Amino acid sequence: MDQSTATAVEVPERRPLPGGLASFLVFLASGAVLVLETVALRLVGPYLGVTLQVTSSVIGVALAAIAYGAWTGGRIADKRDPRTLLPGALVLAGIATAVTLPVVRYAGEALRGGAVSGILLLTALAVFVPAFLLSAVTPLVVKLQLGDLRNTGQVVGKLSSIGTLGAVTATLVTGFILVAALPTSVILIGLAVALGLAGLGVGWYLRRTEKLALAGISRAGALLAVVGLAGAGLSAAAPTPCDIETAYHCAAVVPDPARDGGRTLFLNSARHSFVDLDDPTYLEFAYTRWLGAVTTVVAPGSQRIDAVHLGGGGFTMPRYVTATRPGSSNEVYEIDGALVDLDERELGVRQGPDLTTKVGDARMLLAQRPTASADLVIGDAFGHLVVPWHLATREMAADIRRVVRPGGIYAQNVIDYPPLRFIKAEVATVRAEFPHVALIAPVRSLAGEQGSNFVIVASPAPLPMEQLKQRLTEDDDGGQTTIVTGEELSAFVGDAEPLTDEYAPVDQLLANG
């Protein structure tokens, strides 16, 4: 064999991608992983809640996908030409992203609840496969760019930095803009299309400039289109618990067949509020009737009061206060502005002299309220296994006491399940700031036989216990309700410690024993 023949069969040297294209691919792939991670919380929230365990699971699964994807991508890049792999990795990631929404919605109905196995499985279905494929992109690009080993540190450092910037940018844009402006389905389908187009574009570029035999790129494009359309169709047909997606909730308003004016507000698939549009004094849920009893005894007769509501929900209690105590003022702190819009549109909420809604964090807004300015503070910001921990601490209770007038009352709704660790800790927390505290609850719940709503009642002054007892109603299952205070309440609380800003393991306390 002569020299010319030997030269003809040599494998051509791999040329690095243009710097701009390499940076774009790493930025896109790393950013897409963080978009998926952020949106995954919205996807699984209606079925699992948005607890610390769910958040930790999403982060853990995403990190596992990044680790395994990067490792696998690096191994394959050493064995095959990365130029033949990049287009397929991006297209497959787009396909996996397109089918994530219907997969999670169908599986979510079967895995609904707080079981650890269900949390891990559903979050894996939401994140792992597309994040795994996307995480393989960076090592493929790095391998291509390492044409000169003398520049290894510079190349790897630059691309690593660009990947991190992509992740940071995607996190901020998704959290501050996309989630607030677009439904989850639109974000995911848009991301899938972007990834697919990027893969097809890279394939076209490599085929044109490198003369690579990427015969499958057209078939990949057709497959992406078919799967994308199928994913969009399945997403449309998949069961969805939402009328609207807000920045915080999957919300739906459902008419009650038993009452013409009845409407139930569902937040993340849990029954959150019930409103009778024709009768604001009608209270469907037992805990709202207990709050109604507190409202009745906070002042004589129908005397007007100044009420503050931590959490708006369906605005059941502000409507009740206005109806039973004409002339009262209700100031509602609700973090979800889109939920307020839904309430105004579907539940007849009207702002005016008797109702002022401030959109924002309840703790931050309460801190701005004058001292001794409220006769009644109602805390109803805790949902089904979803508790803003910073509203459950002693420091928050201290600020509530500051706002409550000397003869006023603080009534807080809490949901807990056996072994009742959270409600015991929360009662201990409120007792650390208020000298007079009572607890309204079903008898069976206090005995640890079932989960339920509990209402903590606290005041700087002695509570009207007899009046409250006379107004107690049965629980939602028709069982007996009681109110406990003094030594009986101390025995219930036991050795539970108050929650503080320094230490408030709310999600762990709520986890079933």
Side-chain angles (χ1 to χ4, degrees):
M1 180 182 297
D2 62 21
Q3 183 64 34
S4 61
T5 305
T7 302
V9 297
E10 286 180 354
V11 178
E13 182 182 355
R14 293 175 181 170
R15 290 190 297 176
L17 296 173
L21 177 58
S23 298
F24 168 76
L25 292 176
V26 171
F27 187 93
L28 174 66
S30 300
V33 173
L34 268 295
V35 173
L36 286 167
E37 183 178 339
T38 305
V39 172
L41 286 169
R42 308 301 309 281
L43 276 179
V44 303
Y47 311 102
L48 305 176
V50 186
T51 65
L52 181 60
Q53 285 87 351
V54 174
T55 303
S56 299
S57 180
V58 169
I59 294 171
V61 168
L63 290 174
I66 292 170
Y68 284 110
W71 179 54
T72 303
R75 285 179 61 87
I76 295 176
D78 287 338
K79 297 178 180 180
R80 296 188 57 183
D81 186 350
R83 294 173 296 178
T84 64
L85 302 173
L86 274 172
L90 289 166
V91 169
L92 286 175
I95 292 172
T97 301
V99 301
T100 292
L101 182 61
V103 167
V104 169
R105 283 185 173 172
Y106 282 111
E109 295 296 332
L111 298 173
R112 186 185 297 276
V116 172
S117 58
I119 291 174
L120 291 172
L121 180 55
L122 194 59
T123 53
L125 290 173
V127 176
F128 190 85
V129 174
F132 174 88
L133 292 166
L134 288 165
S135 299
V137 169
T138 295
L140 293 175
V141 174
V142 169
K143 180 70 174 182
L144 275 176
Q145 302 310 98
L146 290 177
D148 185 349
L149 294 180
R150 291 174 299 179
N151 298 323
T152 298
Q154 178 181 341
V155 170
V156 173
K158 175 184 175 182
L159 292 177
S160 176
S161 173
I162 289 172
T164 302
L165 288 173
V168 171
T169 301
T171 300
L172 296 176
V173 170
T174 305
F176 282 87
I177 299 174
L178 294 183
V179 167
L182 299 172
T184 302
S185 57
V186 174
I187 296 173
L188 286 175
I189 295 299
L191 179 61
V193 170
L195 293 172
L197 291 177
L200 296 176
V202 171
W204 174 84
Y205 169 82
L206 292 174
R207 185 169 58 177
R208 184 175 67 86
T209 60
E210 305 289 339
K211 309 302 181 183
L212 293 179
L214 298 175
I217 199 69
S218 298
R219 291 193 298 272
L223 178 61
L224 176 66
V226 170
V227 173
L229 290 173
L234 286 172
S235 299
T240 173
C242 309
D243 282 348
I244 65 165
E245 285 186 58
T246 74
Y248 298 90
H249 299 106
C250 163
V253 175
V254 179
D256 183 6
R259 297 181 69 89
D260 290 340
R263 301 290 187 274
T264 301
L265 172 66
F266 286 83
L267 296 182
N268 298 326
S269 298
R271 296 175 72 213
H272 189 276
S273 304
F274 185 95
V275 171
D276 189 323
L277 301 179
D278 302 323
D279 182 5
T281 65
Y282 177 78
L283 302 175
E284 170 77 8
F285 300 155
Y287 90 89
T288 59
R289 296 195 292 271
W290 304 338
L291 291 174
V294 174
T295 302
T296 301
V297 304
V298 74
S302 58
Q303 175 181 318
R304 73 168 299 280
I305 61 171
D306 295 313
V308 175
H309 304 261
L310 312 179
F315 284 71
T316 302
M317 294 315 300
R319 288 163 52 92
Y320 181 84
V321 170
T322 298
T324 57
R325 294 185 174 278
S328 295
S329 70
N330 293 276
E331 187 166 86
V332 178
Y333 304 150
E334 172 56 55
I335 197 169
D336 194 341
L339 179 60
V340 177
D341 294 339
L342 177 66
D343 290 333
E344 292 177 345
R345 188 168 62 251
E346 301 287 342
L347 299 180
V349 172
R350 296 290 181 269
Q351 307 296 322
D354 59 347
L355 175 62
T356 301
T357 301
K358 295 185 176 181
V359 175
D361 185 276
R363 184 162 173 176
M364 303 300 102
L365 293 171
L366 186 72
Q368 301 170 15
R369 189 170 174 99
T371 298
S373 60
D375 301 296
L376 175 66
V377 175
I378 294 179
D380 195 10
F382 299 170
H384 174 66
L385 293 181
V386 181
V387 175
W389 69 268
H390 67 302
L391 302 184
T393 65
R394 180 172 182 174
E395 289 81 356
M396 178 64 176
D399 207 30
I400 292 170
R401 181 174 180 181
R402 177 188 65 81
V403 169
V404 172
R405 289 175 176 141
I409 292 179
Y410 170 46
Q412 179 187 9
N413 174 45
V414 177
I415 303 173
D416 199 10
Y417 303 86
L420 306 180
R421 291 176 295 197
F422 176 51
I423 182 60
K424 292 176 181 179
E426 190 60 15
V427 171
T429 302
V430 176
R431 291 181 92 188
E433 293 298 329
F434 285 86
H436 303 279
V437 179
L439 180 64
I440 303 174
V443 173
R444 292 186 59 201
S445 298
L446 287 175
E449 299 175 9
Q450 65 180 22
S452 71
N453 292 81
F454 299 78
V455 171
I456 302 172
V457 186
S459 177
L463 292 165
M465 294 295 294
E466 290 303 319
Q467 296 180 54
L468 283 171
K469 288 179 181 178
Q470 294 172 9
R471 289 169 172 80
L472 289 185
T473 63
E474 61 188 17
D475 65 22
D476 288 318
D477 297 323
Q480 183 181 359
T481 300
T482 188
I483 181 169
V484 296
T485 190
E487 293 183 0
E488 189 176 1
L489 185 58
S490 297
F492 172 75
V493 172
D495 59 359
E497 295 291 331
L499 305 174
T500 66
D501 285 352
E502 180 70 19
Y503 184 68
V506 170
D507 292 284
Q508 288 77 10
L509 292 172
L510 279 167
N512 290 338

